[in-house]
């Protein structure tokens, strides 16, 4: 039997009952187990072969449900489309437009000063209280400026400015600006601009 004829024959038998053997049927297994069949070259009769042994020259071995080797992994697919943008977050506490508060003589910093510009027209002391006396949130930023004379930032006992206990001042130059920010319960950072005007 030619190879081409055997291949055509296999296509027919795999779909259903493969053969009838002395009252029994040989059927292609739906499981992973393979089934070995010997096909007679002369009359195409079939018989089940338990040990895959067929008569040399008279029969051809067919194996049904035989699993082939695993194929190569296919190429990686294209990157998917970018997901939708997330929702816009809440606005921060520091406003785009300054709220300006004029101070004079001595001003004790309050929680309500957060995000504001404290401006002095004459010599003023900005007093930083302890957190126990005036609770102010960590991360609070307050800008300070003087139009003339001097401006001093002075901490209460137990409050630290840049790890120094002494008061920190603008000198007597006019139109200077700085910033104080609370970084822990009783610690503040002070930064000022360099003198640019007499």
């Amino acid at each position: 039997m030619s190879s081409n004829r055997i291949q055509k024959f296999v296509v027919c038998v795999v779909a259903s009952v493969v053969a009838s053997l002395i009252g029994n049927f040989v059927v292609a297994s739906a499981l992973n187990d393979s089934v070995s069949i010997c096909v007679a070259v002369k009359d195409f009769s079939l018989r089940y072969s338990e040990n895959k042994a067929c008569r040399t020259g008279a029969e051809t071995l067919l194996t049904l449900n035989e699993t082939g080797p695993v194929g190569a992994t296919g190429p990686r697919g294209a990157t998917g489309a970018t997901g939708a943008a997330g929702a816009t977050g809440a606005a921060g506490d520091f406003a785009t437009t300054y709220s300006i508060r004029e101070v004079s003589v001595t001003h004790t910093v309050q929680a309500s000063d957060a995000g504001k510009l404290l401006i002095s027209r004459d010599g003023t002391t900005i007093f930083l209280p302890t957190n126990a006396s005036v609770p102010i949130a960590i991360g609070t930023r307050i800008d300070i400026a003087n139009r003339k004379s001097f401006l001093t930032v002075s901490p209460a006992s137990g409050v630290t400015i840049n790890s120094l206990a002494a008061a920190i001042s603008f000198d007597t130059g006019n139109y200077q600006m700085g910033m104080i920010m609370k970084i822990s319960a009783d610690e503040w950072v002070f930064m000022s601009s360099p003198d640019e005007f007499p």
Side-chain angles (χ1 to χ4, degrees):
M1 182 177 184
S2 68
S3 174
N4 188 42
R5 292 177 65 189
I6 291 175
Q7 289 176 356
K8 290 181 179 179
F9 181 78
V10 170
V11 172
C12 295
V13 296
V14 169
S16 182
V17 178
V18 174
S20 174
L21 267 192
I22 315 175
N24 294 322
F25 289 97
V26 177
V27 181
S29 171
L31 303 177
N32 291 330
D33 298 335
S34 61
V35 177
S36 297
I37 303 295
C38 290
V39 182
V41 175
K42 183 177 181 180
D43 58 7
F44 308 131
S45 61
L46 308 176
R47 70 178 181 85
Y48 171 69
S49 176
E50 185 176 357
N51 58 2
K52 297 186 179 181
C54 296
R55 300 184 186 93
T56 303
E59 295 177 328
T60 299
L61 176 66
L62 295 180
T63 303
L64 307 180
N65 288 346
E66 186 174 30
T67 302
V70 177
T73 302
R76 185 183 181 88
T79 301
T82 302
T88 302
D93 294 332
F94 202 81
T96 303
T97 302
Y98 270 120
S99 177
I100 299 173
R101 179 176 185 178
E102 293 206 14
V103 293
S104 61
V105 189
T106 299
H107 174 74
T108 299
V109 170
Q110 303 294 317
S112 60
D113 291 331
K116 293 181 179 178
L117 172 63
L118 305 183
I119 188 167
S120 169
R121 293 180 181 273
D122 207 339
T124 300
T125 297
I126 304 293
F127 184 72
L128 301 180
T130 63
N131 193 69
S133 61
V134 181
I136 298 174
I138 295 173
T140 294
R141 171 180 168 169
I142 302 169
D143 287 344
I144 54 179
N146 67 324
R147 292 190 177 185
K148 64 178 182 177
S149 190
F150 64 89
L151 189 150
T152 300
V153 180
S154 180
S157 177
V159 176
T160 300
I161 305 177
N162 293 342
S163 300
L164 297 175
I168 298 176
S169 302
F170 293 151
D171 58 24
T172 56
N174 297 330
Y175 305 109
Q176 296 182 67
M177 185 172 178
M179 179 270 286
I180 53 176
M181 179 176 286
K182 191 168 186 178
I183 60 174
S184 67
D186 287 308
E187 184 179 3
W188 293 75
V189 169
F190 173 83
M191 290 183 284
S192 64
S193 59
D195 292 351
E196 296 180 359
F197 302 102

